[in-house]
Amino acid sequence: MERYRHYSDASRIVLPVVDVLLILGAFRLAGYITAGYWSFDGLYPALYAVFAMLWWILSGHYANIYRVDKLITYPEKLLYLVRTFLLHAVLLMAGAVLLDQYWVPARYLLSVYSLSMLAVVGGRFLLTFGYRQYVQYLSRPVSRYVIVGVGESGQSLYRFLTSHDPDGNEFAGFFADEPVPGGLRPLVRGNLADLKSYCQRSHVDEIYFSLPLDRRDLIEDLSGFADQHFLAFRIVPDFSGTVRKDVSVYFYDHLPILTIRHEPLGIRTNQLLKRLFDIGFSLTVILTVFPFILPILALIIKIDSPGPVFFKQMRPGKRNQLFPCYKLRTMRTDHGRTELQATKNDVRITRVGAYLRKYNLDELPQFFNVLLGHMSVVGPRPNMISQLEEYSKHISQYQLRHAVPPGITGYAQVNGYRGETREAGTMEKRVEYDLKYMENWSFGLDMKIIGQTVWNMVRGEKNAY
C-alpha cells in the first residue's frame, strides 16, 4: 500500500527523467574516474539502459521518494532512496549472475552506484529544499482546513499535518460538540452549529470530518454544504468511535478492511516468516544440541527413577486442535494424576525432574513438535485439556490465545508468569500477556523473548516446579 497517493502526476514523469539524466552523468564520471577518459561505448550504453530502466521501474513502486512537500521528512526521503538503491543493486547483480552475462569491473560498478546515489539523493534534496522555500516564502498555503471532531482521529490528523506540512496546509481550527481536552480548547473555534458560518466568512478550503461514521445525516449535510461553497469535504474515519472498540485497518490492494483486534500473525507473510524461522531454528537445535545433550539426560533420567525417558500428553493447540506434546519425564510413573498441575514441593517430581524443570530442559523434545508444525518456538504455552475446560468458563478471552500455535516459550513466561496458577489472577495475567504478544507480534519481539528465555535457563526459573 502506498503511504500517500495525492502526488502530482507530472512529478512521476519529470522527476524520474531528472534521475535518469543524473545517472547518465554518474556513468560518464565513473568511466573517467576508473579509466581516465569520457568515452561511452562498448558494453556501457547497454548497462546504462538496463540500470536506468530498472531504477525507473523500482522508483515507481516507492511513490514517496517523488514527494517534495513536508509530508515526507528528509530522513524518510533518504531512507526510501537508499532502500531503493539497495534493492536495485541486488536485482541487477542477481540478473547478471543468472543470465551469465559479462561482468563489468567491480571498481567501475561501485563508482556508478556511489555516484548515482549521491547525484539522485543530492538532486532530490535540492528540489525538495527549493520547493519548500517557495511554499514558505513566495506562495500562500495550498489549503486552509478545519477539522470536525476532537476525537483520536481528529487529533492524529492535526498532529500529522502540523508536524509534517505546516506550510502547505494551514490549520484553521476544530469544531466539536463533545467535551474538548484541556490542551485543545484554544484551538476550538466553535461547536458544530458554528461551522457553516465560519466557513462562509473565512477563507477555508477543506473540511475534514473525523467523527464516527454513524453520524450519517451530519455527513450528508456537510457534504452538500461543501459542494455548494466549493469546499473539499474529506472524511477521516473514526472507526473506534463507530464500533466502540479499538480497531485496525488493513488494505487488500486499496480496499480498507477493518478488524476489531490487531492481528499481525493473521497476515500470510508474517505466518510464512514465523514458520520458516521455526523450521530453521528447530532443525538447528535438533541437529546440533540433541546428539550431545539428549543421551546424557536420558541416562540420568533412567538412573534416577524407573520409567520411560519421554512423556507424551495431548494438549490443545491452534484452534483447540489436540496434538501430542512431548517432554522429558520429570515425574514418577505411579502417581496416576497426569492432568493435575505441578505445584511447589510436588511429591510426584523426581530429583532429576526438579532440575530439568528449573532450567527448562524438560521441554527440549518440543522442538520436534515445532518441526512437525504442532507448535512454534514462541507463542502462548499449551495448557492441559483440563485447564482449557476450566478457564474457558470464567476468563472470557481465554480462547483467543488459541488463535495461534502454542510455543515452547512465551511472552507471559519471560515476564514471570509461569508455573502454578492456583493463586487468584495468575491465569488472567498470563492470558493478558499472551494476547499482548499476539497483538504486538514482530520478528524482533520473538528474538527478544528467545534471548530472555536463554538467560532465564542459565540462571534458573524460580517459578518452575
Side-chain angles (χ1 to χ4, degrees), residues 290-306:
F290 279 25
F292 303 99
I293 299 296
L294 274 187
I296 298 175
L297 295 180
L299 179 61
I300 294 175
I301 291 171
K302 295 294 288 186
I303 294 174
D304 182 59
S305 64

Side-chain angles (χ1 to χ4, degrees), residues 100-380:
D100 195 23
Q101 295 297 305
Y102 174 79
W103 198 249
V104 298
R107 184 183 173 207
Y108 176 80
L109 194 61
L110 180 61
S111 298
V112 165
Y113 267 109
S114 300
L115 294 171
S116 296
M117 186 178 298
L118 287 174
V120 171
V121 171
R124 187 68 68 248
F125 278 28
L126 183 61
L127 287 171
T128 301
F129 177 79
Y131 171 80
R132 294 179 181 178
Q133 293 302 303
Y134 165 77
V135 169
Q136 183 173 358
Y137 296 109
L138 298 178
S139 69
R140 76 171 186 85
V142 175
S143 68
R144 193 165 184 264
Y145 64 96
V146 295
I147 298 177
V148 180
V150 290
E152 186 58 38
S153 295
Q155 294 180 43
S156 297
L157 176 67
Y158 166 72
R159 289 192 295 266
F160 178 78
L161 291 178
T162 53
S163 63
H164 283 74
D165 200 17
D167 300 321
N169 296 281
E170 180 183 342
F171 178 62
F174 286 103
F175 288 85
D177 288 340
E178 67 266 33
V180 179
L184 296 179
R185 286 173 187 166
L187 302 175
V188 177
R189 300 292 176 260
N191 54 34
L192 298 183
D194 302 323
L195 174 62
K196 293 181 181 179
S197 60
Y198 181 87
C199 291
Q200 287 175 323
R201 70 174 182 267
S202 303
H203 181 79
V204 174
D205 300 293
E206 296 177 306
I207 299 174
Y208 284 95
F209 184 90
S210 66
L211 293 174
L213 296 180
D214 55 9
R215 304 289 296 272
R216 185 171 179 177
D217 292 340
L218 180 59
I219 292 174
E220 292 181 356
D221 180 44
L222 293 180
S223 177
F225 171 79
D227 289 341
Q228 294 173 6
H229 294 83
F230 309 103
L231 305 178
F233 182 70
R234 311 191 190 285
I235 296 177
V236 184
D238 181 12
F239 296 124
S240 60
T242 301
V243 300
R244 303 293 187 260
K245 289 184 178 181
D246 292 333
V247 299
S248 298
V249 183
Y250 293 95
F251 283 82
Y252 291 160
D253 193 10
H254 300 298
L255 177 66
I257 307 294
L258 305 186
T259 62
I260 302 302
R261 184 175 296 278
H262 186 51
E263 299 174 323
L265 288 174
I267 300 173
R268 291 188 181 276
T269 305
N270 292 342
Q271 294 174 2
L272 178 61
L273 174 63
K274 189 171 176 64
R275 181 59 187 148
L276 289 175
F277 173 78
D278 285 342
I279 294 173
F281 193 87
S282 59
L283 273 177
T284 301
V285 173
I286 291 171
L287 295 177
T288 60
V289 177
F290 279 25
F292 303 99
I293 299 296
L294 274 187
I296 298 175
L297 295 180
L299 179 61
I300 294 175
I301 291 171
K302 295 294 288 186
I303 294 174
D304 182 59
S305 64
V309 172
F310 297 100
F311 170 74
K312 182 181 74 172
Q313 187 178 50
M314 300 303 292
R315 297 283 179 99
K318 184 176 181 181
R319 298 181 179 178
N320 293 339
Q321 295 296 312
L322 298 181
F323 70 94
C325 182
Y326 298 101
K327 301 181 72 173
L328 291 175
R329 183 176 60 83
T330 59
M331 293 185 176
R332 295 182 290 104
T333 58
D334 57 354
H335 58 80
R337 294 174 293 173
T338 58
E339 279 292 322
L340 183 64
Q341 188 181 31
T343 60
K344 191 172 184 179
N345 300 320
D346 197 319
V347 296
R348 297 172 298 167
I349 299 176
T350 64
R351 291 172 299 174
V352 170
Y355 286 98
L356 294 179
R357 286 173 172 267
K358 181 178 178 63
Y359 296 101
N360 297 317
L361 294 174
D362 60 318
E363 294 166 358
L364 280 177
Q366 289 171 23
F367 281 104
F368 288 110
N369 287 117
V370 174
L371 188 61
L372 293 172
H374 302 146
M375 297 177 63
S376 179
V377 176
V378 181

